[in-house]
Amino acid sequence: MISSKLVRSCCSVLLMSLAGCVTPAGGVALRPDGTPGPEECSEEARKAMSYLRLFVGEAAVVQIDANQSATPITLYDGPIESMLENDLGFLDAPSRLYGRVWTSGPQAVIRYYEAQPMNGGNKIPLCAVARMGMGQLRKRPESLPGTAVVDSTTAAVFIVDAFR
């Protein structure tokens, strides 16, 4: 039989490890059209972005899905790994950006919560969004529920201080 002391100890370790996660705990409230609602940028992300000289409005180009290169690409609701095509502040290309995709609205919405420099080191918390500038994230009509078929493999990514 497992002792309650061991169970409490294991739970404590698990909770402490989860406390360092930078992705939104508990999810994000959705708008009536299924797109994500407002979300604050974490204090850790704000500090990290300041150190890396990632100021609101800084922008770069990303490969939307580091695992797909042929067009069109299909994005799925849930986690995504994108790749910087040019430098973003002190983040050198081809650093990876990790975030989440929502596909319920007329275009895909991508929010980034972490960056992984390719020269090593820990993941860095940040707040950034992929923007539709030239229609890159507009869904094609054949997109099934929970997916967004988009024509472009790249998009602009912008640093933000909050998700709106």
Side-chain angles (χ1 to χ4, degrees), residues 105-122:
Q107 68 260 345
V109 174
I110 304 173
R111 293 179 177 179
Y112 296 105
Y113 300 100
E114 293 179 310
Q116 176 66 63
M118 294 310 293
N119 60 358
N122 297 324

Side-chain angles (χ1 to χ4, degrees), residues 6 12 14 20 62 68 77 83 85 87 99 110 128 132 141 157:
L6 177 62
S12 295
L14 178 63
V62 293
Q68 298 184 62
D77 281 326
M83 180 177 67
E85 290 198 348
D87 297 347
I110 304 173
M132 197 173 97
V157 63

Side-chain angles (χ1 to χ4, degrees), residues 74-115:
T74 302
L75 303 176
Y76 299 91
D77 281 326
I80 191 162
E81 175 186 8
S82 299
M83 180 177 67
L84 283 175
E85 290 198 348
N86 53 338
D87 297 347
L88 180 61
F90 287 131
L91 284 175
D92 296 330
S95 293
R96 299 300 197 263
L97 298 180
Y98 296 97
R100 178 162 168 58
V101 177
W102 288 266
T103 63
S104 296
Q107 68 260 345
V109 174
I110 304 173
R111 293 179 177 179
Y112 296 105
Y113 300 100
E114 293 179 310

Side-chain angles (χ1 to χ4, degrees), residues 23 25 30 48 51 55 76 92 100 109 111 121 140 147 149 153 156 162:
T23 54
L30 298 180
Y51 292 138
F55 303 116
Y76 299 91
D92 296 330
R100 178 162 168 58
V109 174
R111 293 179 177 179
R140 289 174 54 163
T147 70
V149 178
T153 59

Side-chain angles (χ1 to χ4, degrees), residues 23-44:
T23 54
V28 176
L30 298 180
R31 294 182 173 106
D33 68 354
T35 58
E39 179 183 9
E40 290 300 315
C41 192
S42 73
E43 186 60 32
E44 295 83 18

Side-chain angles (χ1 to χ4, degrees), residues 99-164:
R100 178 162 168 58
V101 177
W102 288 266
T103 63
S104 296
Q107 68 260 345
V109 174
I110 304 173
R111 293 179 177 179
Y112 296 105
Y113 300 100
E114 293 179 310
Q116 176 66 63
M118 294 310 293
N119 60 358
N122 297 324
K123 286 184 179 174
I124 301 163
L126 59 74
C127 293
V129 296
R131 293 227 170 109
M132 197 173 97
M134 303 300 268
Q136 295 99 324
L137 299 176
R138 189 173 318 284
K139 291 168 46 173
R140 289 174 54 163
E142 66 267 24
S143 299
L144 298 173
T147 70
V149 178
V150 297
D151 288 323
S152 182
T153 59
T154 61
V157 63
F158 289 84
I159 296 297
V160 296
D161 59 0
F163 300 106
R164 291 173 177 80

